[in-house]
Amino acid sequence: MAKRSKVIELEIPLNGEPASNSLPKAQTGISGLDEISGGGLPRGRTTIVCGGPGCGKTMLGMEFLIRGAQEFNEPGVLIAFEETPQEIERNVASLGFSIKNLVDRKKLFLDFVYVEPSEIQETGDYDLEGLFIRLQHAVDTVGAKRICLDTLEALFSGFSNERVLRAELRRLFRWLKDRNLTTVITAEKGEKTLTRHGLEEYVSDCVILLDHRVREQISTRRLRIVKYRGTSHGADEYPFLIDDTGISVLPVTSLEMHHEVSSERVPTGIADLDEMLGGKGFYRGSSILISGTAGSGKTTMSASFAEAACRRGERCLYVGFEESVHQVARNMTSVGLDLTRWVEEGTLVHEAWRPSQYGIEMHLLRIHKLIEAVKPQHVIIDPITNLVTGSAQKEVYSMLMRLMDYLKGRKITAIFTNLTTDSEELEQTDIGISSLTDTWILCRDLELNGERNRCVYILKSRGMAHSNQVREFVMSRDGIRLVPPYVGAGVVLTGSSRVAQEAKEKADALVRSQEIEKKQEALERKRSVLDAQIKVLKLDFSAEELELERMIKQQQSREKQLNLERDAMNRIRSGAAEKKIDSASAKSAGDSK
Amino acid sequence: MKKKVRTNGKSAMAGQPAMKLRLYVAGQTPKSMAALSNLKRICNQHLDGKYELEVIDLIKNPQLAQGDQILAIPTLVRNLPVPIRKIIGDLSNVDRVLVGLDLRGSDRESPKDSPSSAKSIGAGH
């Protein structure tokens, strides 16, 4: 049978919803139990709740009955073999239930079955018809739909004839089934078997195992559905706790992973950090982990996020495990963050308690309850590391995983801070949870030149272009700034070294610019000298040009004059010459003759 | 159905108060009938009539099972003298019935019975 139900577990996705063809269920009303059992206990069938002493068996049975009567209008019967009705009444009253009222209204019937073996002498054949008559009477009185037998095994101590007893038990389970009673039977856990007397042989519909462990003086209760015939159920161990509102079971691993995601961005409260996160900040509903050594500014960073959220009118829940509420508020005023104002206005709910105060699931539950009550848009847990002091690391991881899933499912932005002790191990210790977070911011200290400076960088941020720069985290009365550090010559300088370096650079730059100016002036001078020279040369040239032109003109006019004179000469010569020519011609003629 | 049998014969154990007995049955089952007839025989033999017997049928009065904490049927309850003793079964083992009713007295021979008897005295209720 167990085999078959295992196969079913694998085939059916664990979505917490009862499949349409599955068994009819009776809701327990116990928070978390209905979720992991796929809707409650098998209706009209018997469930065995087993576990060691003090594990909460009776409480589970009682709450099943009380909630059945109060919330689902299913009257119930409690057959108590170990405690008197008065004792039970007192026990459940401490958990906030009043059964007197239910008994008066005939919603609940209590019958105390007292088995004292020393008073009983067996003298022959008998059966347990008396028990059946009492059961029938109880069921008839209130018209019961539910019944709890706590602890049926007490019969084994009362009656020595096991043959008769087992036959009667078989008859009892059939009897319960025939009357369609949803039954819870509590049983002590056996050494090798689930129950000491092997009751699971008779009932195989549903077996729930409770466990109560104490580790390092802090107790943890766990619940596991060992078997649930015909139903897919969470097979893990689920921590549960019993507090003033009864039992709360917390599913360790989320049954589903399809939360709707938001692409809306939420400012971080630090403008420089927004800028590093793609200019807009975190995604709404994402999980953010801020890791860092002591005093590296984790709380300040979370507080400024909270303050900014409150300023926008969004509700914020701040759970502190390190400092008291007032201490955080006082400290944050030193960086200009006034948390008290928002607490007074009710936008910020600030709670603080010691991590060692409870076991891990109690923390988770308290946070859950706060979230349910406050309905915040943002949750800050500062720091999660301190929870480890109370529990084993594995449990913390599984708790955080559940918390993150829960918050994501509700689109609540969650900031977890994490104190790391040694910078070497910084990234190792966080591995378990870092994979769950969407954005991981690391704050670390740099010790250099006799001072310690805070540095911040974003190790990862899913789904956004984020800066890979290491920034210096500077806190002042005016708030927080993330200053780009001096990066050059293979060193990162922060703090006063950065300031000195920056001053030096400034001076150097000044000198350089002055030199440039000087050179430019020289150039300018040279240019004007050149210009002057060119001017002089031009002047010289034009003077020479004029002179030369004048000389050319002179010579030309002289030439002209000469020509004129020659012409005049010629003319003059030609008058005399005519005669001369005549005479000459005559002479020549005569000569020629 | 309540049936009372009251007898005021002379006492076999003088000075002791009368024994008050209640026999719880569930209908007329063979076991119940056997128990009743066995009881009557034992009472006649060993109590010499000095007893008070009430037979309660739980089928008719189921609410009466709670008061005497009846689970097994048939159950014989000795309310008086204190302490209360319960004897379950059809009362076919006469020796055990006598031990259960503290009628063995000094002639109790079976050693295995003594611890149970001693326990019952210590565990008052």
Side-chain angles (χ1 to χ4, degrees):
Chain A
M1 279 313 146
K3 221 175 182 179
R4 198 188 69 171
S5 61
K6 263 223 173 97
V7 172
I8 290 166
E9 277 163 41
L10 291 173
E11 282 171 351
I12 300 171
L14 298 172
N15 53 9
E17 283 289 309
S20 53
N21 58 348
S22 74
L23 293 167
K25 305 277 172 77
Q27 273 180 277
T28 60
I30 297 170
S31 78
L33 183 58
D34 290 340
E35 198 186 333
I36 57 171
S37 61
L41 302 180
R43 179 173 291 283
R45 306 213 180 187
T46 303
T47 299
I48 290 188
V49 177
C50 51
C55 68
K57 303 184 290 287
T58 307
M59 206 45 75
L60 196 145
M62 275 314 294
E63 197 169 340
F64 165 71
L65 290 182
I66 292 169
R67 293 203 185 272
Q70 278 178 346
E71 294 167 27
F72 308 108
N73 198 26
E74 290 192 6
V77 166
L78 174 71
I79 306 290
F81 289 85
E82 287 178 334
E83 290 171 294
T84 63
Q86 290 76 29
E87 284 171 328
I88 287 170
E89 205 169 308
R90 266 203 303 279
N91 293 350
V92 297
S94 69
L95 308 175
F97 297 116
S98 163
I99 55 173
K100 203 177 173 305
N101 178 30
L102 290 171
V103 172
D104 292 346
R105 281 164 48 215
K106 297 223 171 204
K107 292 281 179 200
L108 195 63
F109 187 92
L110 305 180
D111 191 4
F112 171 54
V113 175
Y114 174 76
V115 187
E116 175 53 65
S118 63
E119 282 181 4
I120 295 170
Q121 182 75 260
E122 293 182 20
T123 65
D125 202 11
Y126 62 92
D127 56 39
L128 296 182
E129 188 59 30
L131 178 65
F132 287 88
I133 287 169
R134 288 170 75 169
L135 284 174
Q136 186 68 60
H137 174 63
V139 169
D140 290 345
T141 308
V142 293
K145 297 262 191 294
R146 300 179 176 209
I147 188 165
C148 174
L149 300 163
D150 175 50
T151 301
L152 193 58
E153 284 171 318
L155 291 177
F156 283 89
S157 68
F159 300 97
S160 56
N161 191 335
E162 201 159 305
R163 187 188 53 79
V164 170
L165 206 49
R166 294 204 173 266
E168 290 297 276
L169 283 177
R170 237 185 312 271
R171 182 155 77 103
L172 174 65
F173 291 125
R174 211 171 40 244
W175 186 92
L176 293 164
K177 213 171 199 168
D178 288 347
R179 277 152 189 81
N180 207 28
L181 289 162
T182 309
T183 310
V184 169
I185 286 173
T186 64
E188 284 284 317
K189 194 183 174 332
E191 278 187 19
K192 279 180 187 151
T193 50
L194 285 168
T195 61
R196 192 178 291 164
H197 295 280
L199 287 180
E200 66 271 23
E201 284 173 34
Y202 308 105
V203 193
S204 46
D205 290 317
C206 181
V207 179
I208 295 173
L209 181 66
L210 304 182
D211 181 26
H212 190 196
R213 281 171 235 175
V214 176
R215 188 184 288 144
E216 285 167 16
Q217 295 154 20
I218 289 170
S219 73
T220 316
R221 294 173 191 276
R222 274 154 208 287
L223 177 148
R224 183 160 71 95
I225 299 177
V226 180
K227 174 177 186 176
Y228 198 146
R229 191 186 277 176
T231 292
S232 64
H233 60 85
D236 303 332
E237 277 196 316
Y238 300 96
F240 75 98
L241 52 96
I242 302 174
D243 68 358
D244 54 1
T245 58
I247 294 176
S248 307
V249 184
L250 304 155
V252 175
T253 43
S254 171
L255 300 177
E256 48 200 308
M257 229 172 115
H258 22 68
H259 351 273
E260 271 182 48
V261 293
S262 171
S263 50
E264 196 193 329
R265 301 287 273 268
V266 192
T268 61
I270 303 168
D272 294 325
L273 188 58
D274 287 345
E275 185 204 309
M276 288 174 81
L277 290 161
K280 292 171 191 161
F282 307 125
Y283 278 115
R284 184 176 290 280
S286 64
S287 320
I288 297 113
L289 178 68
I290 303 176
S291 299
T293 45
S296 56
K298 301 180 297 295
T299 303
T300 315
M301 204 181 263
S302 341
S304 66
F305 174 76
E307 209 264 349
C310 291
R311 206 183 281 279
R312 293 191 305 270
E314 296 176 353
R315 288 177 78 78
C316 218
L317 173 67
Y318 192 111
V319 179
F321 292 119
E322 216 164 40
E323 295 171 281
S324 75
V325 174
H326 296 296
Q327 194 178 331
V328 174
R330 181 202 65 193
N331 295 349
M332 288 308 125
T333 52
S334 70
V335 286
L337 297 174
D338 184 9
L339 297 179
T340 322
R341 178 184 154 205
W342 301 113
V343 171
E344 278 164 8
E345 283 190 18
T347 20
L348 177 69
V349 176
H350 192 162
E351 293 275 333
W353 65 82
R354 287 253 160 252
S356 53
Q357 202 167 341
Y358 311 110
I360 189 77
E361 73 282 357
M362 198 73 166
H363 285 298
L364 182 59
L365 191 89
R366 199 163 159 186
I367 293 169
H368 270 245
K369 283 189 167 170
L370 273 170
I371 291 167
E372 292 298 335
V374 176
K375 300 207 187 322
Q377 275 133 312
H378 311 287
V379 171
I380 293 157
I381 314 266
D382 176 37
I384 51 170
T385 336
N386 280 22
L387 294 172
V388 184
T389 56
S391 299
Q393 220 164 33
K394 229 176 162 182
E395 288 166 18
V396 177
Y397 292 157
S398 80
M399 177 200 117
L400 287 170
M401 201 200 297
R402 277 180 293 149
L403 185 60
M404 283 178 195
D405 277 336
Y406 171 79
L407 293 171
K408 275 191 177 172
R410 277 162 183 71
K411 280 196 196 161
I412 297 171
T413 316
I415 293 188
F416 303 92
T417 71
N418 185 26
L419 177 75
T420 46
T421 42
D422 186 48
S423 52
E424 283 299 306
E425 285 173 44
L426 190 73
E427 284 150 51
Q428 281 300 313
T429 50
D430 293 327
I431 273 174
I433 37 170
S434 66
S435 62
L436 300 169
T437 55
D438 301 309
T439 300
W440 187 5
I441 297 171
L442 274 171
C443 298
R444 52 197 328 182
D445 292 325
L446 279 188
E447 269 183 57
L448 211 66
N449 300 338
E451 59 180 52
R452 201 177 60 101
N453 293 297
R454 301 177 179 91
C455 282
V456 171
Y457 63 96
I458 297 161
L459 204 130
K460 73 164 184 187
S461 192
R462 287 176 181 151
M464 62 176 82
H466 57 89
S467 166
N468 63 351
Q469 222 177 15
V470 178
R471 295 279 187 105
E472 193 183 341
F473 189 28
V474 184
M475 293 189 251
S476 69
R477 284 208 73 82
D478 308 321
I480 299 158
R481 283 193 317 127
L482 300 181
V483 187
Y486 173 78
V487 187
V491 283
V492 176
L493 296 180
T494 53
S496 57
S497 332
R498 173 176 52 78
V499 175
Q501 185 67 29
E502 279 170 0
K504 189 167 167 271
E505 287 214 337
K506 229 175 190 172
D508 287 352
L510 193 68
V511 168
R512 272 199 304 276
S513 71
Q514 279 169 349
E515 267 173 17
I516 288 167
E517 260 171 49
K518 244 186 230 167
K519 282 204 170 124
Q520 269 171 342
E521 271 171 28
L523 186 67
E524 211 50 46
R525 260 201 314 283
K526 262 193 179 160
R527 181 177 287 128
S528 48
V529 167
L530 186 68
D531 282 351
Q533 281 174 343
I534 289 169
K535 229 174 183 174
V536 169
L537 281 174
K538 266 189 179 163
L539 280 169
D540 283 358
F541 172 73
S542 52
E544 221 165 298
E545 193 179 34
L546 276 171
E547 181 65 25
L548 283 172
E549 271 175 9
R550 196 174 48 80
M551 281 166 72
I552 290 168
K553 267 188 186 152
Q554 248 174 14
Q555 254 169 4
Q556 276 174 343
S557 59
R558 201 157 58 205
E559 192 78 17
K560 220 175 176 177
Q561 195 61 40
L562 277 175
N563 282 346
L564 281 170
E565 278 173 15
R566 197 168 53 227
D567 284 352
M569 192 89 81
N570 279 348
R571 255 189 326 271
I572 296 162
R573 270 202 201 138
S574 65
E578 268 178 39
K579 292 164 193 167
K580 244 186 186 171
I581 292 167
D582 289 348
S583 62
S585 57
K587 197 188 166 184
S588 66
D591 278 347
S592 60
K593 274 177 203 175
Chain B
M1 172 194 74
K2 265 195 216 180
K3 190 165 71 184
K4 283 199 176 180
V5 181
R6 197 177 283 263
T7 359
N8 290 316
K10 84 175 164 61
S11 172
M13 288 175 277
Q16 288 213 356
M19 197 171 274
K20 253 188 161 170
L21 298 172
R22 258 185 215 158
L23 181 66
Y24 288 87
V25 294
Q28 312 272 316
T29 60
K31 270 186 281 234
S32 297
M33 299 319 286
L36 188 58
S37 68
N38 284 336
L39 177 65
K40 279 184 173 162
R41 198 175 60 246
I42 292 164
C43 288
N44 285 333
Q45 280 176 12
H46 297 271
L47 286 174
D48 202 11
K50 200 184 175 187
Y51 67 97
E52 212 173 278
L53 175 64
E54 198 179 349
V55 179
I56 295 169
D57 188 348
L58 290 178
I59 300 273
K60 288 172 182 153
N61 299 292
Q63 74 283 359
L64 294 178
Q66 217 173 333
D68 269 324
Q69 287 293 347
I70 304 306
L71 292 178
I73 292 291
T75 297
L76 175 66
V77 179
R78 187 196 76 175
N79 289 79
L80 272 176
V82 283
I84 292 170
R85 309 298 299 268
K86 277 180 194 159
I87 299 160
I88 60 170
D90 60 10
L91 311 176
S92 55
N93 187 333
V94 179
D95 283 348
R96 282 176 158 270
V97 176
L98 294 177
V99 169
L101 290 175
D102 278 338
L103 290 176
R104 266 282 141 92
S106 51
D107 63 330
R108 189 182 292 150
E109 75 280 70
S110 165
K112 68 170 184 176
D113 288 339
S114 17
S116 102
S117 172
K119 232 202 281 176
S120 72
I121 290 155
H125 147 61

